[in-house]
Structure formats: structure tokens, C-alpha cells
């Protein structure tokens, strides 16, 4: 058996399909984000300045002075690591404070922090479903990989309903009957297409057919709702959702995942989920930084307002240039290429020729033939950044002979903050 050849052949297949993923060596600048330094492979001593247009740090909270100061203070006071699993000395005070803030954010009795959003979905979905007798899981067809893995790990019966199709979901619920345990698993905002779930309709169906609801708000927490609680807060249905799952690594700019719900549900996951029990806890530094971000965004709407304005401006500018933006009602800006090879070429050309970094999105993240550049504006992008992006993309589309679409020229009336070049709170000032 030639073991090494097996791995060589596996990598060769990815490269032949143009699905081999290359990591860009980037050095983020907390004061100047979205500007970063890029070190091309083999040129570590010759970094180039680039602008990042695909970060999941949606609100740029990773560089907020309050968050940075909280991390520094926690490191000086508590050290670098957690010191163990939650059961073995890892339940430090900063993580207890974080969980209290997260429970309050969603109006729930309790919350539980994990090392990532992927782990929180895997652990929570599988454990909750396993603890419910003869549970039927009803899962949206476009749910994230972490949710799919949680459903699989549960080993419960599962049925997939067509994406955001309430008639199909109701038919499956009706077929199961009101007496059987049922868990509806869905996302509030789907990050590849940027579309939003009909959360009110899902809640109504759950009540009608006596089902529990589990919503992934990963791409919405921090960015939507009066306090950043997500789409369910914005739509006024948070109290009717049984389990909310979120991340600390996107809108809150740090690291980790969490769930929030009734105390007995959270306690059950804490007590039964192996991927929680046997994992070292988030360190005090990360917990304190995340707490600072959550607290800030509960009271500050400035970041959310600028974020939405920049997303709207970016979409408007790209559409006006005839670039194929997929329409949606969120901050996600999918730019469709629909070819894996050309998508990788477009990404490389943007980086090497124009100093703009947008990672190509291909299979298995999206279906083959729907490859795209997923653009994520932030409050710290400016009108000048948008102008440079449009010019660079127009050059790439022309060079690669990618199809333009009919330009959509619609009057755009930015708010006062956007007219002032999207001024973001000065990152050099001390935290208030």
C-alpha cells in the first residue's frame, strides 16, 4: 500500500478541479483595517499592502479599543490560557460573565460558550435531539455544514425541507403529527446567498404543530436587532425561539460560539455533550474581549448603521457597473462567477494586480457551477475603497471575459454618516 500516494492523489484531484484552497498570509492592522499586509508565498520579507473585502469581522469589532483593552487587561490579570476544561478548573470568571451577557442579549435564562460556532452547532443539535424521545429533525436544505454534522451525529430521523419553503415544512410537520418530538433547525441569515429566513412563519408553524425551534444566528448577531440580538430580535420573535445559536467570531470580532435558551436545556447540553465536556474552555482573554464587544453593541447602533450603509453603497456601485450581484436583503454581497477556474483566476488577479483580497467561494461551500466572490463590506470601508473595488472588478471581468449584466442605475441617497466618508470611531482614541 502506497500511503503517501493516496494523499498526493487526493490533493491532485482538488487542484485539477480548481478547488484547492490557498491560504493568504495576511497581517491585519487593528488601526487601519481593512488594510492589511500580504506576504506572497516565498516572499515573506517583501510584504504588500492590500485591502480585505471578505472578512467575517463584519463590524470591525476585532480592532475596537474597548475590545482590545479588555483582552490586554484579562491577559495581565489572568494569563493566557483557561487552564482546563469547564469541569476541571476552566470555568473562570470572565467566561461566566460572558455567558450572562449572552443570555441577556437574547432574553434567555442561560447561555453556554464553546470554542467555535461549528462546535456549538455540532454539540447542541446532536445532544438536544438525542435527549428527545423519537425526535424528528426538520432541517433547511441550505443549512451550514456544522448544523448538518450535528443532525448526522444525533442519529435521529431527519427530513430536509426545501430552502425557506414554508409549505414544504408544514407538510412535513403535519405528517409527523403533534404528538411526536420535533426539532426545526434553520438559519436566520444564509451567508452564501445572503437571504433571510421567514422566522415569523417558522415560529407560527412550530407553535401549530408543537415543535421546538433551533435557530443559527451566526451571521446576524451584533448586526441586526435593536441590541444586536439578530434577525429574531429584529422580527420580534426571540421569546418564541427555543434555542438560539450564535458566534463571537463575526459581529463580535473575537472567537467562539454559544447557545442560549431555557436553563434546563442549556444544563442538559452542558452535562451530556462530549464535544463540550472534553474541550478546553475559551481563555479569559477571548472571553473578556467578547464580553466587551457584546456589551458595546447592546447600546451602540453606530456600527450597525454604518455597516448597513456601506453594504447598500457597495451593492449599488457594483450593480451600476453591470457586475452580477445576487440580490438579497442583507449585508452579504455575492458576486457570481459560476465557474471554479475563473473564480480562482479572478481572486488571484484582484490580489496580485489590484491589492484587493477576496477569497473565491467554491464547492463544497456552494454547489458546483455557482462559484462566487463573497464580498463583505464593513463600517471601516470608505467610498474610496468602494470606487477602487468597482474599478478593479471591472478590469478583472473584462480581462477574463466574464459576462457583465445590464447596469442597474438607481438613485442612491446615503445617510449623513456615509456622506462623511463612513467615518468610523477613531481607533486611536482611548476607550471611553
Amino acid at each position: 500500500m502506497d500511503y503517501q500516494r493516496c494523499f498526493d492523489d487526493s490533493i491532485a484531484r482538488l487542484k485539477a478541479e480548481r478547488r484547492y484552497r490557498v491560504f493568504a498570509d495576511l497581517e491585519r492592522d487593528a488601526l487601519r483595517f481593512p488594510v492589511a499586509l500580504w506576504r506572497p508565498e516565498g516572499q515573506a520579507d517583501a510584504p504588500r499592502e492590500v485591502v480585505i473585502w471578505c472578512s467575517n469581522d463584519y463590524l470591525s469589532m476585532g480592532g475596537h479599543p474597548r475590545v482590545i483593552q479588555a483582552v490586554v487587561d484579562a491577559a495581565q490579570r489572568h494569563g493566557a490560557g483557561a487552564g482546563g476544561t469547564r469541569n476541571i478548573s476552566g470555568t473562570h470568571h470572565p467566561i461566566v460573565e460572558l455567558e450572562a451577557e449572552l443570555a441577556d442579549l437574547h432574553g434567555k435564562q442561560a447561555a453556554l460558550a464553546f470554542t467555535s460556532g461549528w462546535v456549538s452547532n455540532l454539540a447542541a443539535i446532536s445532544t438536544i435531539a438525542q435527549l428527545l424521545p423519537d425526535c424528528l429533525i426538520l432541517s433547511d436544505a441550505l443549512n451550514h455544514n456544522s448544523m448538518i454534522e450535528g443532525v448526522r451525529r444525533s442519529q435521529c430521523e431527519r427530513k430536509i425541507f426545501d430552502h425557506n419553503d414554508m409549505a414544504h415544512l408544514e407538510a412535513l410537520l403535519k405528517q409527523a403529527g403533534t404528538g411526536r418530538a420535533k426539532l426545526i433547525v434553520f438559519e436566520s441569515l444564509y451567508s452564501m446567498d445572503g437571504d433571510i429566513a421567514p422566522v415569523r412563519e417558522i415560529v407560527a408553524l412550530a407553535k401549530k404543530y408543537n415543535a421546538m425551534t433551533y435557530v443559527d444566528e451566526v451571521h446576524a448577531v451584533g448586526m441586526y436587532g435593536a441590541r444586536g440580538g439578530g434577525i429574531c430580535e429584529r422580527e420580534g420573535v426571540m421569546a418564541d425561539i427555543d434555542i438560539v445559536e450564535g458566534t463571537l467570531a463575526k459581529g463580535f470580532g473575537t472567537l467562539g460560539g454559544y447557545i442560549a435558551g431555557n436553563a434546563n436545556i442549556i444544563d442538559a447540553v452542558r452535562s451530556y455533550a462530549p464535544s463540550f465536556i472534553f474541550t478546553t474552555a475559551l481563555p479569559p482573554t477571548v472571553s473578556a474581549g467578547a464580553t466587551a464587544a457584546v456589551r458595546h453593541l447592546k447600546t451602540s447602533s453606530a456600527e450597525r448603521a454604518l455597516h448597513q450603509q456601506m453594504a447598500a453603497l457597495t451593492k449599488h456601485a457594483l450593480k451600476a457597473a453591470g457586475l452580477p450581484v445576487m440580490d438579497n436583503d442583507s449585508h452579504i454581497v455575492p458576486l457570481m462567477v459560476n465557474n471554479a477556474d475563473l473564480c480562482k483566476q479572478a481572486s488571484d488577479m484582484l490580489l496580485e494586480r489590484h491589492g484587493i483580497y477576496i477569497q473565491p467561494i467554491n464547492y463544497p461551500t456552494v454547489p458546483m457551477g455557482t462559484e462566487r466572490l463573497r464580498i463583505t463590506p464593513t463600517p471601516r470601508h470608505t467610498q474610496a475603497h468602494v470606487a477602487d473595488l468597482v474599478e478593479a472588478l471591472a478590469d478583472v471581468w473584462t480581462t477574463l471575459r466574464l459576462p457583465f449584466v445590464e447596469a442597474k442605475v438607481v438613485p442612491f441617497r446615503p445617510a449623513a454618516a456615509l456622506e462623511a466618508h463612513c467615518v468610523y470611531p477613531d481607533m486611536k482614541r482611548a476607550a471611553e
Side-chain angles (χ1 to χ4, degrees):
M1 181 65 174
D2 187 345
Y3 292 104
Q4 295 307 313
R5 184 174 178 179
C6 291
F7 299 109
D8 290 340
D9 290 346
S10 298
I11 296 301
R13 285 196 299 272
L14 287 178
K15 290 181 176 179
E17 296 168 2
R18 299 296 284 171
R19 293 196 296 117
Y20 181 73
R21 301 186 179 192
V22 178
F23 293 161
D25 182 353
L26 299 170
E27 183 178 327
R28 282 165 50 109
D29 188 327
L31 295 179
R32 300 179 64 213
F33 183 81
V35 173
L37 290 180
W38 168 50
R39 290 180 169 82
E41 187 174 357
Q43 304 177 45
D45 296 331
R48 293 173 51 188
E49 195 170 274
V50 300
V51 175
I52 298 175
W53 272 101
C54 59
S55 173
N56 281 343
D57 188 0
Y58 293 136
L59 299 179
S60 306
M61 289 303 294
H64 194 284
R66 288 181 176 176
V67 175
I68 293 174
Q69 192 60 53
V71 171
V72 171
D73 291 346
Q76 292 176 336
R77 183 174 181 181
H78 304 291
T85 64
R86 291 294 296 274
N87 190 53
I88 306 177
S89 81
T91 301
H92 48 79
H93 190 59
I95 204 169
V96 174
E97 289 185 309
L98 171 61
E99 289 171 342
E101 287 291 339
L102 293 169
D104 174 76
L105 174 66
H106 296 290
K108 302 300 183 185
Q109 294 176 350
L112 193 65
F114 295 79
T115 51
S116 75
W118 196 95
V119 173
S120 58
N121 268 333
L122 174 74
I125 293 172
S126 61
T127 302
I128 291 167
Q130 286 172 349
L131 293 176
L132 294 172
D134 189 30
C135 181
L136 171 66
I137 301 177
L138 301 125
S139 179
D140 188 283
L142 293 189
N143 276 343
H144 188 263
N145 168 267
S146 59
M147 304 177 79
I148 294 170
E149 291 301 322
V151 171
R152 288 174 177 168
R153 179 70 64 89
S154 74
Q155 297 185 325
C156 295
E157 183 182 0
R158 61 183 182 271
K159 293 189 177 180
I160 312 302
F161 61 92
D162 295 338
H163 178 55
N164 281 349
D165 187 331
M166 295 301 95
H168 190 202
L169 174 59
E170 181 166 20
L172 295 175
L173 286 165
K174 184 182 295 185
Q175 185 181 43
T178 57
R180 185 178 182 184
K182 298 173 292 298
L183 181 66
I184 304 173
V185 178
F186 65 102
E187 297 183 49
S188 67
L189 195 164
Y190 292 83
S191 65
M192 288 300 113
D193 291 352
D195 56 331
I196 294 173
V199 294
R200 291 181 182 178
E201 290 87 342
I202 292 174
V203 164
L205 288 175
K207 287 182 177 181
K208 181 177 180 180
Y209 293 98
N210 190 29
M212 290 187 71
T213 49
Y214 180 105
V215 61
D216 177 318
E217 288 260 30
V218 160
H219 293 277
V221 289
M223 284 89 70
Y224 296 87
R227 300 199 309 156
I231 297 296
C232 291
E233 181 191 26
R234 188 189 74 175
E235 298 301 309
V237 297
M238 185 67 75
D240 299 311
I241 296 290
D242 293 297
I243 306 101
V244 178
E245 187 268 346
T247 186
L248 305 168
K250 293 180 173 63
F252 298 123
T254 54
L255 177 72
Y258 66 90
I259 58 170
N262 285 346
N264 60 349
I265 297 174
I266 302 304
D267 195 20
V269 174
R270 179 191 72 85
S271 301
Y272 280 92
S275 49
F276 174 81
I277 294 170
F278 298 104
T279 298
T280 298
L282 283 176
T285 50
V286 173
S287 302
T291 298
V294 174
R295 285 175 178 166
H296 176 79
L297 290 173
K298 282 180 180 178
T299 59
S300 173
S301 61
E303 292 81 5
R304 282 188 284 277
L306 283 173
H307 182 232
Q308 289 297 319
Q309 290 163 9
M310 282 309 305
L313 174 62
T314 303
K315 289 179 181 180
H316 178 270
L318 294 175
K319 289 178 180 178
L323 291 158
V325 176
M326 178 186 288
D327 284 326
N328 61 56
D329 294 322
S330 74
H331 61 280
I332 302 296
V333 187
L335 190 59
M336 304 308 293
V337 180
N338 303 324
N339 179 286
D341 185 37
L342 291 173
C343 195
K344 179 66 167 63
Q345 289 187 53
S347 176
D348 291 344
M349 191 176 297
L350 283 169
L351 184 59
E352 294 164 5
R353 183 185 292 187
H354 297 282
I356 290 175
Y357 177 64
I358 309 175
Q359 183 71 10
I361 303 295
N362 53 28
Y363 180 83
T365 307
V366 295
M368 289 183 181
T370 68
E371 293 79 10
R372 67 200 66 183
L373 300 176
R374 178 178 172 272
I375 299 168
T376 53
T378 74
R380 299 194 67 195
H381 284 93
T382 66
Q383 293 186 66
H385 287 140
V386 174
D388 290 343
L389 174 67
V390 172
E391 182 179 354
L393 284 168
D395 172 59
V396 168
W397 248 244
T398 300
T399 303
L400 297 179
R401 298 183 179 181
L402 292 168
F404 286 84
V405 297
E406 183 179 354
K408 297 181 180 179
V409 182
V410 179
F412 182 78
R413 296 181 177 86
L418 190 56
E419 291 172 345
H421 304 287
C422 291
V423 175
Y424 191 72
D426 185 2
M427 304 306 290
K428 295 182 180 180
R429 67 172 170 77
E432 296 177 356

